[in-house]
Amino acid sequence: NLIILLSTFALSVYLVWARRIVKRYKAITLLRGVYIWSAIFAFPLTLYYWPHIDFSGFTSRAWWLFFYILLIPTLLPNYIVLSSLRYVNPTLVSVYSYIMPVFAILLSVALGQDTLSWERAVACLMVFVGVNLVVRAYNPKSKKAADKA
């Protein structure tokens, strides 16, 4: 739970920080910097494993899957998030980030890859309740209604 809390805090700081920068630079420029610095910091952690990897044993399918994972579920969503920060509030972008796991659960259940348990259903409900609270807090109409009450 502590890691989830730290991850949420890091995402919040990142979205607020990135919004300022993405207004000056293109999203792809920012992503290039983030990925380069991430690689620099992660590289020493992988030094032990590099001599043991047999790259010649990788099939073309493995390379295609590697680049697919690199581009589609990694680079593309990050690019979309950063590009959207130019036009919308970081709160809305964070709502998107919190709803993604709910759709992942629904998709995995719909494809027969997983089952929907009570824990997952309650977790999805809690995500929607939390998102609803955040959206209502930033919605000018709901603030006026709350002030009248």
Side-chain angles (χ1 to χ4, degrees):
N1 289 340
L2 180 62
I3 292 175
I4 293 171
L5 181 65
L6 291 174
S7 173
T8 303
F9 179 73
L11 176 67
S12 303
V13 170
Y14 173 72
L15 290 176
V16 172
W17 170 78
R19 180 178 170 101
R20 293 182 195 143
I21 293 177
V22 85
K23 287 189 175 202
R24 286 186 276 166
Y25 303 103
K26 293 183 178 182
I28 198 71
T29 304
L30 182 59
L31 278 178
R32 186 177 11 190
V34 167
Y35 284 133
I36 287 172
W37 282 105
S38 298
I40 289 170
F41 284 111
F43 184 72
L45 301 174
T46 64
L47 282 177
Y48 172 79
Y49 300 100
W50 280 95
H52 306 292
I53 299 173
D54 179 23
F55 289 105
S56 64
F58 288 5
T59 64
S60 61
R61 184 175 191 275
W63 284 110
W64 280 109
L65 289 173
F66 169 76
F67 286 112
Y68 171 82
I69 290 170
L70 185 69
L71 294 174
I72 304 303
T74 305
L75 182 65
L76 186 63
N78 285 318
Y79 178 76
I80 291 170
V81 164
L82 285 176
S83 297
S84 66
L85 279 175
R86 185 180 292 259
Y87 306 104
V88 297
N89 197 337
T91 305
L92 184 60
V93 176
S94 66
V95 165
Y96 161 77
S97 298
Y98 293 123
I99 290 180
M100 279 192 302
V102 172
F103 287 114
I105 289 171
L106 295 176
L107 183 62
S108 67
V109 169
L111 294 175
Q113 300 293 316
D114 208 347
T115 58
L116 185 62
S117 65
W118 283 106
E119 293 87 5
R120 289 187 185 123
V122 169
C124 290
L125 181 64
M126 289 175 66
V127 167
F128 280 118
V129 167
V131 164
N132 186 28
L133 290 172
V134 170
V135 169
R136 290 178 119 196
Y138 282 94
N139 186 355
K141 291 179 184 177
S142 67
K143 284 184 182 180
K144 289 179 184 176
D147 289 341
K148 288 182 182 179

